[in-house]
Amino acid sequence: MSPHITNALWMEQAQQWIPKLYEQKIFPKQLVRSVSDVHAFQGWRIEPVAPVEAMYEQVLRKGDEITLDFGQHLVGYVTLSLLNVRSNADAPLRLKLTFGEMPCEIGEDFATYEGWLSRSWLQDEIVNVDVLPGTITLDRRYAFRYLKLEVLETSIRYDLQLKDVFCTTVTSASMAAVAPLPASTDQELVQLDQISIHTLRDCMQTVFEDGPKRDRRLWIGDLRLQALVNYETFGRNDLVKRCLYLFAGSRLEGGQVGACLYEKPQPYVDDIYLYDYSLFFITTLWDYYEATKDRDTLEALWPVAREQMDIALKRLDARGIVQDDETWYCFLDWHEQLNKQAGAQAVLIYGMKRGLCIARELGLTEHEQQIQAQIRLAEEAALRFLWDEEQGFFISGEQRQVSWASQVWMILAEVVDVEVARALLQRLKGYNEAIPMNTPYMMHHYVEALLQCGQKEDALEQIRTYWGGMIKDGADTFWELYNPEDKTYSPYGSNLINSYCHAWSCTPSYFIRRHFAVTDS
Amino acid sequence: MSPHITNALWMEQAQQWIPKLYEQKIFPKQLVRSVSDVHAFQGWRIEPVAPVEAMYEQVLRKGDEITLDFGQHLVGYVTLSLLNVRSNADAPLRLKLTFGEMPCEIGEDFATYEGWLSRSWLQDEIVNVDVLPGTITLDRRYAFRYLKLEVLETSIRYDLQLKDVFCTTVTSASMAAVAPLPASTDQELVQLDQISIHTLRDCMQTVFEDGPKRDRRLWIGDLRLQALVNYETFGRNDLVKRCLYLFAGSRLEGGQVGACLYEKPQPYVDDIYLYDYSLFFITTLWDYYEATKDRDTLEALWPVAREQMDIALKRLDARGIVQDDETWYCFLDWHEQLNKQAGAQAVLIYGMKRGLCIARELGLTEHEQQIQAQIRLAEEAALRFLWDEEQGFFISGEQRQVSWASQVWMILAEVVDVEVARALLQRLKGYNEAIPMNTPYMMHHYVEALLQCGQKEDALEQIRTYWGGMIKDGADTFWELYNPEDKTYSPYGSNLINSYCHAWSCTPSYFIRRHFAVTDS
C-alpha cells in the first residue's frame, strides 16, 4: 500500500454527503431450476418449476435443494424465516446458499471455477442456524435474481420449511424521481431505458459502484458514465459531488487521481493509476458543473483537474505523443491485444478540451491560453505521427495497430472534423483486421462518436442491436461484458465472475433521453 | 411436536431469573498442529509449532492454514482482527474456521463423518469478509480449545495477517465464588477439582447445559448432578431454581417432566420422556431445598414432584415391577445391550424416598404415609422378582440380565442394606459377564454407591483412575464419554461428535469437596 495524498477536509465533506439508502422488501416470484442447454446464453437456461406458493408448503429434507427466482435483479439483504417440521430441531440447521445474477451461477459448480479473479466474488455461503423456528438476516449484501438453497444438514428428527423469504433491497436512487418517457416512445426503447435505469439503480449505493456483485468499488471510468445517466434520470447530483470529492480527497502519491477508490473501512484510493481514467476527473467535473451549475465545487476541485493535465502531459515523448509501454497504463477497453497509445493520446486531448471549458468558465485566462496551446500541440502530434494517410486510420504503438478504440476516441476528441470522422467510421466497418470492441463501455463511446458525426440512426440501431441483444439473451440489468460473437467472453478467465449489473453499461437511458425519446414540443 | 402443558406464571418467573453472563477475553497461547499418532488418544496428538507471537507476524497466503491453541477449553464468541498485506484487499477474504474441543476435531476431515447425529454439531464455518482491514466477531457461540484457520481465498493482490484474535468467554459461573481447597489437598485432587469446575463453568450458561458444544439443552439428568457440584462450588442456586421452574412450567401432555428442554426461541419441553429422568425432578427439588432451604420453591413445585411419582407408579405391572419394553423409555447409561427394568425400578424407589422427605418436610402426613406404602411395595417387588438369590445379583428384563447399572441403582435406592451392598459390589467386580458402565454419568453413581457402602478409599481410587485417566488422556474439561477400554467409543457412530465438556462428568468436585478434601477442623 503506497502512501497517498489525503485532503482531510474534502474527505470529511464527502462523508457528510453519504446518502441515506432507500429500502424495499422484495419477495420471490417462482420456483425455478437452471438447466444446461447448449443453445441457451452461456449454456444455461432457467426453467419454471412451481409457483411461489409451493415454496411455503414444500418440506425440505437433508439433501434437498430449491431455487427461488425473485423476478428481477436485486441488491440487498436476505432474510429467511425458517421452520422445523416433523419434530423439534434438536441440532443446528446447515444450509448452503448460492446467489446468482445469471443462470450460469445457479447451474455451474463453483468448485470448477478457474478464473484469475478471486473465487471469493462468487456469492455462496454456508450458514449454520442454531435456533429453529427462527429468522435470520444474512450480514452480507448480495446482488442476485436467483437464490439456490441447499439443505446440507437437518437431523434425523426434523425437516425444514420456509415460512418467509425476502430481500430488503438498498439503493440511493429513487425510482419516483425518474420522469416517464413520452407516450410515443416505442416499446423497445422503453425497455432499454428501464433496464438501464435498473442497472444504475442497483449500482447506486453510498457511492456509484461499478458493479454491486463485483467489485463494488468506485471507478472513475464508470462514475463518468453513471453521472451522465443520473443527470437524465435520478438526479442524485449530491452523490456525484460526493464521489468527485472522494477522488480529489484521496489521491496517489504523485497527485494523480486514482482509477478507483475503496469506500471501507474508510475511503481511500487504490494503487491503480490509469492514464485515461485520471483525465476523466476533468471530464466528470465539467459534466457535473454543466448539470448542476455548482460553481463552488468547480472552483474547489479545479486545481486537481488541472494537475491531472499536467501529470498526463509529462508522459508525452519528444514528438508530443503519449509514451507507450507494456504495462496496464491505460484502460480504454478489455482486449488483450489492444494497444493503448493512440487512445490515450485522444483521451488526453478530449480531457484537455473539458479543462479548457472549465478554465474559460472560471475566467482563468492564463490557464485557458496554456491549455489551448497544449491541445494544439497534442492534436498536431496525433495527426502527424498517429494518422496513417495510406490506410486512412489512426494507428497505435510500434506495431501501428488499427483498432476501433483508437478511431472512436480520436473522433470523440475532435482531432478530425465531422466529415473525415464519418468516412473513418464507414471505412472501419469494412476493415476486419481492426481490433474490435469488447465491452458496453467501449460501445458507449462508439455510439457517442456516431452521434457526434450526426449519424443518429446508426447510433440508435447500434443501441437496439447491442444492448437489445443483451435483453434477448436474458438481461434484467446490463452486463459488464457482452461480445455477441463470443457469449462466454470474460477477461477474467470465467464468465461466472463477470458482473451482470454493471455501471458502465447503463448508458442507453442517457442516449434515449437526450436524443431519441424527446417530446416534439 | 406434541402438545405440552404450560404453566405461564412459572415460565415467566423462570425467564426473570435468566442470569447475566460473565465475560472474559482469552487470547491464544501458541501455534500448534494436530498430528496423526496411533499411540495418542483417539489417534491424534497436538504438537507445538511456534510461540503465539509468530501468529501476529506470519503472512498467510491462499491455501495456508494455522491452528491456534487457546490453552484451555473455552465457550464463547470469537473475534478476528484481520489485516491485508502486500496490497489492498480488492476481493473478499474467504476463510474456513474449524473449532475443536479435541485434537481429533482439528486432525480429521469432517467430510468423513458418518455418525447418526447431525454433522451440523461439528463446529466449522466458512466466512466471507468483505472489508479489510477489518474486525469480525462471529455470531455463533463455540466450545473449543483449538481453532484451525484455513485461508480459502484472498486475491492475487493481497495476503492476510492476523492482527488480533481472541475469544470472549461466557458463563454464569463466577470463579471468584469457589472456595479454595485446603492447602493439604494433594495435587491430583486439586487438578481433578479444577477440571471439574472448568467443566461446570463452561456448561453454566443461561441454563445448566449438558454440553456447550452438543447439544446445549437442559437435561434433567445432567441438571441433577450439576446442581450438586454447584452447591459445593459456584453457589448459583438461583440458576438451579430457574431450571426447576422451567421443567415444571413446560411439561409433556400427560404431566410428565420431560427429559430435556430447549431454551430458544422460547423455553419449551422436548418430546422425550425418560422414566428415570422424570423421577429426578423430585430428587433435584429435594437436593435444592437441602442446599437453600427455599421453602417457597419446595411448596410451589411439590405438586409436580408428586405427579411424577404417580405417573411412574402407573408403569408397574401386577407384580409391582416396572414394565419393560424395547423402546428408549429409561436412560441409566449409554449401552446398547443394557436392559433398563431393574434400574428403572431402583430409580423409582430412590425418587420416592426423596419424595417422602419432601412430604415429611412440608408436614403432609397423608402423602407421607401413601408414599411410604408405595416404597415398601416397590422394594418388596424388587427383592422378590429382580433379586437372583442364586447368582447374588439383581437381574433385569426377560433375559435376566446382570449389569453394573442395576446393582448400583439398587444400592443407591437402599433396597439392600450396606453389608449386602458391599458384598454385591465385591462380587460384581469379579463377574465379567455383567454389562459394564460406559459414561462418567454412570461412573458417578458407582462412586456414590461405594461411598454409601462406606468404601471411601475405593471411591477415591475410582475417581483417580477414571477421571484421572481422562486427564492423562488430555482432558481440559471432563468428557461425555470415556471408556478406558475403547477410547474411540461413541454411542453416536463417531467420536468426533462426542461432547468433551459435559455436565454429567463434573462431579469429582462434589465428591472431593464433600468427602475428600475437608479440613480437619
Side-chain angles (χ1 to χ4, degrees), chain B residues 70-90:
Chain B
F70 283 76
Q72 59 174 306
H73 186 276
L74 307 175
V75 175
Y77 298 88
V78 168
T79 297
L80 303 168
S81 207
L82 305 163
L83 195 65
N84 51 304
V85 292
R86 191 155 55 82
S87 183
N88 298 327
D90 63 337

Side-chain angles (χ1 to χ4, degrees), chain A residues 154-174:
Chain A
T154 53
S155 85
I156 50 171
R157 283 184 62 187
Y158 76 96
D159 303 314
L160 179 68
Q161 221 169 349
L162 297 173
K163 223 176 114 191
D164 202 9
V165 181
F166 60 86
C167 175
T168 304
T169 62
V170 285
T171 174
S172 52
S174 163

